[in-house]
Amino acid sequence: RDRVVAKVECAAAMRELGLHSFDLVITDLRLPDSDGLAILDHVRRSSPETVVLIMTAYASVDSAVESVVDSAVGGSPSR
């Protein structure tokens, strides 16, 4: 059964990720209480088969590089 869950804050998203498994997580880089990289880290540790897509209108070169290094784009986790 497919379903979509939407959360605005990182803490609420992490609680949901602890309760259910997901094939795909889409997050913004900037969140009210944290950032999408925290969600990426959480998913990579708890559910490495889950694909994480981080998007933002405020991207910087540093955050893009950090996301790629953390396997947010293209490929499997290197850790």
Side-chain angles (χ1 to χ4, degrees):
R1 175 187 256 180
D2 295 331
R3 64 189 197 112
V4 174
V5 176
K7 300 295 177 188
V8 175
E9 295 178 343
C10 183
M14 288 201 195
R15 279 192 300 274
E16 190 72 26
L17 289 164
L19 296 173
H20 304 284
S21 63
F22 295 89
D23 295 323
L24 173 67
V25 172
I26 302 172
T27 183
D28 199 327
L29 182 60
R30 291 189 179 183
L31 300 170
D33 60 340
S34 189
D35 61 38
L37 296 177
I39 290 179
L40 171 65
D41 183 59
H42 177 83
V43 170
R44 288 291 176 234
R45 285 185 283 111
S46 63
S47 180
E49 69 282 355
T50 299
V51 175
V52 178
L53 172 65
I54 298 176
M55 58 186 182
T56 189
Y58 303 101
S60 69
V61 172
D62 291 339
S63 65
V65 169
E66 185 176 354
S67 295
V68 171
V69 168
D70 284 342
S71 302
V73 178
S76 59
S78 59
R79 298 182 200 180

